Amino acid sequence: MSDTEVPMGDIAVAKGAHNLITSGVGSCLVITLYDPKLQIGALAHTMVPSSAKRDTQFGQRLSTHFPSEAAPPRQASLVAEHVSKKTKETKYVDIAIDQMLKGLVAKGAKRQDLEAKLIGGANMFPSIASDDIGKDNVLSAKDKLNAEGIRIVGECVGGSQGRSVEFSPTTGIVTVKVKF
Amino acid sequence: MGNKLQEIDLLNQINEQAAQNASRALSKLIDRPVDVGISKADVKRVEELSPLISQEEVVAGIYLPVTGDIKGAALLIFPKETAFTLSDLLVKREPGTTRKLVELDKSALKEVGNIISGSYLTVLSNVLQIKIVEHIPNFSFDMFGAIVSQIITEFAQKTENALVIELEFLFKPETLKGYFLLLFEVEQLKAMLGSVGGEALKTFFVDFPESTESN
């Protein structure tokens, strides 16, 4: 069977010889969940840490991004409306994990059997040190997975490298490719 | 809606003026005539930026945060081989000899980013009569997808459209191509363009593509 490419902000659930792939992962975070008993898995290509902080985090982020200037007051309702209208909710780490769990449990997976791996969360522009969205993505994923009682069995995160990911739902093996 | 021909004219004028400024500055930098041309200027939805170049292709990305009356990002992208050729020219090496970017090359490419972005933003700032501050350039040499997604992520919630400018650098006899991307926060931009009566640009930056499709 052919592989499935998971676009940025999206998730996919797969079983059997049907690898899930995603490429060009920078500050984004790829999360894989695998059930070794049933040999099914899910992959998420998330972009931002948390849906709960969506109205304020970008204001704070920009104020650290441009330290010389104070962040303008946020128009929270406008931003939230814009998000729900234009983009997939699964770009948020926490929502993506919820959705993957839902999809896997619907296919018979048990939470206690699931193993998680994290890939990405880099900072492609390390000269902007104060603005590490990649790190926030990793922290958010760890918090969420801990809260859900899911074990993290592997990670390849941080640094300033782009990564491409291939995940086999048959073996649970995650292959990470870098350019340098 | 406004007169479409006028709108296109205005964007063309901005492009032309910016290209002239950039040509002058670049020629001075490398001490030989360079002609910067804009072969294509498009407004794309942010989510359409990814397919510009294949996700895994290695590119040089020069990113400049933009502040002032509007916040945003300027990003200049050169495919790997173009970045190498450009480095040959910028640091005056034998053509075809750069196979790896060292600090000197990175600085030179960052300076090109400064020039392109500065030329464009100066014109934009004059036309719209707003304050635009461009910050120091940041450099990355890696997968296109990884670089562009980080910038998109910064603005994912507040930007719908990006101005995508395809640049041609004519260093006779060589023509090098790169992309210059401008992203602005949409709500701020809307307010700003409204207040200065920049209806023409508003159509391009904010209302695209619906308003250009209907007609």
Side-chain angles (χ1 to χ4, degrees):
Chain A
M1 247 198 282
S2 62
D3 296 343
T4 299
E5 169 105 43
V6 184
M8 191 164 60
D10 221 335
I11 64 168
V13 179
K15 185 174 171 62
H18 192 97
N19 290 353
L20 297 175
I21 57 173
T22 196
S23 53
V25 182
S27 62
C28 291
L29 182 68
V30 172
I31 305 158
T32 64
L33 294 180
Y34 174 61
D35 182 333
K37 287 187 184 154
L38 293 180
Q39 298 191 333
I40 57 173
L43 183 149
H45 186 155
T46 62
M47 299 167 72
V48 274
S50 161
S51 56
K53 285 185 274 179
R54 74 179 82 172
D55 292 342
T56 54
Q57 70 181 15
F58 276 76
Q60 289 161 3
R61 185 168 303 287
L62 279 166
S63 69
T64 57
H65 201 169
F66 309 117
S68 56
E69 298 184 23
R74 306 255 55 88
Q75 291 172 286
S77 59
L78 275 174
V79 174
E81 188 193 338
H82 176 59
V83 168
S84 59
K85 222 169 45 190
K86 300 283 180 198
T87 50
K88 290 209 169 78
E89 292 282 297
T90 45
K91 74 175 174 187
Y92 297 107
V93 168
D94 54 345
I95 291 178
I97 291 175
D98 283 336
Q99 297 286 329
M100 283 197 293
L101 286 174
K102 215 190 242 176
L104 289 168
V105 169
K107 286 189 185 300
K110 294 204 172 59
R111 277 168 181 259
Q112 62 267 27
D113 294 335
L114 292 174
E115 297 174 344
K117 290 179 185 173
L118 306 176
I119 309 97
N123 181 3
M124 301 308 293
F125 295 97
S127 47
I128 310 176
S130 62
D131 186 56
D132 205 338
I133 194 166
K135 199 188 254 172
D136 292 350
N137 282 336
V138 175
L139 290 175
S140 170
K142 287 184 173 173
D143 282 353
K144 176 72 179 168
L145 290 167
N146 281 336
E148 297 291 336
I150 313 272
R151 277 175 302 138
I152 300 172
V153 297
E155 60 178 61
C156 176
V157 296
S160 58
Q161 269 184 319
R163 297 172 168 99
S164 286
V165 180
E166 185 172 345
F167 171 50
S168 159
T170 314
T171 61
I173 291 174
V174 173
T175 310
V176 181
K177 281 188 289 184
V178 293
K179 289 289 182 182
F180 301 99
Chain B
M1 62 181 289
N3 182 327
K4 214 149 100 176
L5 264 182
Q6 271 179 8
E7 289 159 11
I8 293 168
D9 268 357
L10 182 60
L11 193 65
N12 282 343
Q13 276 170 26
I14 292 175
N15 288 344
E16 219 165 275
Q17 183 75 51
Q20 275 173 19
N21 293 353
S23 304
R24 227 181 350 256
L26 260 184
S27 305
K28 209 176 274 176
L29 177 73
I30 66 162
D31 206 17
R32 68 181 257 200
V34 185
D35 202 4
V36 180
I38 291 176
S39 52
K40 212 158 80 185
D42 250 343
V43 179
K44 287 188 190 293
R45 294 214 163 275
V46 165
E47 56 269 34
E48 294 170 345
L49 290 179
S50 302
L52 274 182
I53 302 177
S54 109
Q55 293 288 302
E56 289 197 18
E57 189 176 331
V58 173
V59 300
I62 301 116
Y63 161 52
L64 301 96
V66 176
T67 58
D69 290 336
I70 44 174
K71 285 199 163 63
L75 182 66
L76 188 63
I77 298 278
F78 293 112
K80 182 170 92 176
E81 291 302 323
T82 308
F84 288 165
T85 311
L86 205 50
S87 293
D88 288 338
L89 291 159
L90 293 167
V91 305
K92 300 188 170 60
R93 286 195 196 98
E94 268 306 296
T97 50
T98 303
R99 300 314 300 161
K100 193 180 163 220
L101 299 178
V102 296
E103 279 311 312
L104 182 64
D105 303 303
K106 293 178 189 173
S107 309
L109 289 168
K110 280 199 267 189
E111 191 48 36
V112 174
N114 249 338
I115 287 172
I116 300 295
S117 149
S119 308
Y120 209 93
L121 293 174
T122 304
V123 178
L124 210 54
S125 145
N126 287 341
V127 170
L128 299 179
Q129 303 197 329
I130 54 174
K131 190 178 102 185
I132 301 181
V133 183
E134 127 192 332
H135 292 249
I136 55 163
N138 302 279
F139 185 86
S140 183
F141 188 64
D142 210 305
M143 296 180 197
F144 172 73
I147 291 174
V148 84
S149 67
Q150 181 157 343
I151 307 302
I152 291 176
T153 303
E154 291 298 334
F155 296 93
Q157 291 170 297
K158 293 187 290 197
T159 311
E160 289 173 37
N161 302 324
L163 182 63
V164 178
I165 296 162
E166 210 177 293
L167 295 169
E168 280 181 349
F169 298 83
L170 189 63
F171 301 85
K172 279 176 184 148
E174 208 118 32
T175 304
L176 302 176
K177 270 196 183 173
Y179 291 98
F180 178 55
L181 314 179
L182 270 181
L183 288 84
F184 293 118
E185 286 181 22
V186 72
E187 291 305 330
Q188 278 188 317
L189 187 68
K190 240 179 207 171
M192 195 56 56
L193 292 174
S195 73
V196 297
E199 285 302 316
L201 288 170
K202 195 170 161 184
T203 308
F204 275 99
F205 281 108
V206 182
D207 297 331
F208 183 90
E210 288 87 354
S211 60
T212 47
E213 275 169 2
S214 66
N215 193 13

